[in-house]
Amino acid sequence: MRVDVKADGRRVVQAEAIYLPGEIALAKGESLTTPWLYASYSDTGLNGMSHHFHGHVRAAILPSEFAAKPRPIHLNTWEGIYFDHDPEYIMAMATQSAEMGVERFIIDDGWFRGRNGDKAGLGDWFLDESKYPNGLTQVVEHVNTLGMEFGLWFEPEMINKDSDLYRTHPDWLLAVDGYDQPTGRNQFVINLQNDDAFNFLFERLDHFLSAYNIAYIKWDMNREIVQPGHEGKAAGQKQTERYYALVDKVRAAHPNVEIESCAAGGGRIDFEVLKRTHRFWTSDNNDALERQRIQRGMSYFFPPEVMGSHIGASHCHSTRRRHSIEFRGLTALFGHMGIELDPVKETQEEKEGFEHYIKLHKALRPLLHSGKTWRLQTDDDAHQIQAVISQDKSEAAVLIAQLAMPTNALSGHLRIPGLDADATYKIDVVDKPSNFNDIVNCQPLWTEEGCELSGEWCEKVGLTMPILDAETALLIQLKRVS
Ligand code: DGJ
């Protein structure tokens, strides 16, 4: 994209698809259809722009057949057990997950042959019978008996050189002859223009989706595509088209299966991907503070329901920071919520926390997954605030995250636009940090007793902001009373 100011003051935006050198050559009379460019005009700033994009995603992008279904709470095994798979233990994890209110249980990376670390196995999409000597059926049935859906991880487009697939088909790499492909997380990309490779991947996915009651695929993508080549020519665009074709074929054969584009590494997060998938995993970094920033970025273009957001362990694996269950729980609340840890190893106190935020998410998800998202500002950059207001303006949830120490001694005002100016709202704190009342002698009275204010007052005058410690958050709810 190029954004420029012309000599006469006009603003110009140009956008183009990036094709690699020599990738596309049009013969006389031939035409080319580029990817869609989505643009929006807003006279109400970036919030207005996001409302347009979110509305468009909901009305015209997302696969419609799942629109009415509440998005189930996940338990994903990755940060709980990584590559260490023992079916008995996994079933114990599932039992505990169901007790906490989880609705979908997903086995992540590590279940297939040769996959004991991230250096080998990608491509060998056969159950590792040394880890699962009695097969996968008993695990799937256990999960289903507990009332949860079952999901399974794949990374179809990728291959490790240390795999039977590569040893048999070294020519399936997406590469330009004579150039060594650089690795990304020890892996390479499979050339989906190769029909044999494409058919093999479809057959493997189809096999698992037919043999087991799988409701969900976590479809990973852990590296960028670099120097893609097919038959001596650059092949970036065609690879992407064939990836769409593979997803489409899987969906046509298994229309009830939902797919996550787990695109942390490979960047397959865009509206074209979302036409055929149901949500995104935005990053491997599950630190609640980092996640606040990641989720803020995501919110400009995507509504909360398509963004996976999981509560991780108190000691974050990617940053080594520690966060309270309140901050982790509230941070995960404003997306499609899940839990990313081993519940068997967690303390009773933590488990009660997970249960609490799962309940809260279930109560709020009809609002969060259909309402209008507003990013709110105060005078303090250390605040990050997001409101979701129902389309009929009858209720709202507002999350105040304190990212760092307050900049000023007094915290200023929280002003909430987008409500019904003439209506009266009852405002209550729904969830707060455990030390909320220890921080200062006196938090604003409304945080204790609630208050009633008009929509106009909320927008123009606002509420006195409470004082929060760094890396904590507060959830408030507004309900129209008259
Ligand atoms: C990257 C994802 O973001 C993780 O959640 C996990 O699925 C790993 N890949 C597995 O290799």
Side-chain angles (χ1 to χ4, degrees), residues 78 108-109 153 185 218 220 222 262 281 284:
W78 178 240
D108 206 288
D109 198 354
W153 182 94
R185 202 197 186 201
K218 179 170 172 179
D220 214 337
N222 278 304
C262 175
W281 183 239
D284 256 356

Side-chain angles (χ1 to χ4, degrees), residues 222-233:
N222 278 304
R223 61 159 295 170
E224 317 80 0
I225 292 182
V226 179
Q227 292 178 332
H230 171 68
E231 294 180 347
K233 279 177 65 180

